[in-house]
Amino acid sequence: MAEDLTSSETLELPLNIGNDDSINDTVPLMQKLVAEVVGTYLMIFSGCAAVVVNLNNNNIVTLPGVATVWGLTVMVLAYTLGHISGAHFNPAVTLAHASTKRFPLKQIPMYIVAQVIGSTLATGSLRLIFRGANDHFTGTLPAGSNLQACIFEFIITFYLMFVISGIATDSRAIGELAGLAVGSTVLLNVLFAGPVTGASMNPARSLGPAIVHNHYKGLWIYIVSPIVGAVAGTWAYTYIRVTNKQRNGIL
């Protein structure tokens, strides 16, 4: 719960490692969907497991530890699956990429379903492993007002998607650092926003635990704000990026 470290700090994330405006059509759609299910499962399982272990062991993992787990998990999965599915693991990222025509509109529903399935299965696995008193709600809840949570989730998702758009979709950026940059952004966001909102940045991350625990309080915040923040973030970067017109020998 977000009131303290008992809440589930997230991740997310999401990542298109390909070159600017490229959509990898060489990988069969079914393989992409399986990659999204597996990647989202591993991300949610690792991050939420850190939260549960922390709660069951007198905060031994600590907030920085939980944040590190989320960030490192996003980083390694981005490098592992980015070339297959784009490593979105996040409906907000999928929708943001689609809004700038970096992702096919017809694949949006299937990607979102795959991401929610992965998150739900991961949360279900944790409930099977941790039973009774050791079973904790790993979803996201506002520690303060709904307005505060909305603003926080908008800003941190904007931040995340702005970084993704800059490092992972612009061919002039150092693409090899995409996973490191995005994972680091997730880590930073969880450090300061985790105690306030649970630092979701990802509708699937919040939906999975809500479905498994049948706990939907404040869920709309974690669906609306990340989507709006992600779309705003990618469009903000798109607006300020240098054009493709050559000026004085510099692109």
Side-chain angles (χ1 to χ4, degrees), residues 117-148:
I117 288 175
S119 177
T120 304
L121 290 175
T123 308
S125 298
L126 288 172
R127 290 208 76 178
L128 289 175
I129 296 171
F130 298 97
R131 296 174 176 271
N134 292 326
D135 178 27
H136 297 276
F137 175 58
T138 55
T140 46
L141 291 171
S145 68
N146 287 347
L147 178 60
Q148 181 189 54

Side-chain angles (χ1 to χ4, degrees), residues 198-248:
S200 178
M201 299 173 275
N202 184 341
R205 181 262 173 279
S206 296
L207 265 171
I211 293 170
V212 172
H213 291 269
N214 194 29
H215 195 303
Y216 300 99
K217 180 181 179 181
L219 181 61
W220 66 271
I221 296 170
Y222 300 98
I223 295 176
V224 175
S225 287
I227 291 175
V228 176
V231 172
T234 196
W235 276 98
Y237 184 82
T238 299
Y239 177 77
I240 67 172
R241 73 194 304 164
V242 180
T243 67
N244 291 327
K245 295 181 179 179
Q246 189 170 356
R247 297 178 181 177
N248 299 325

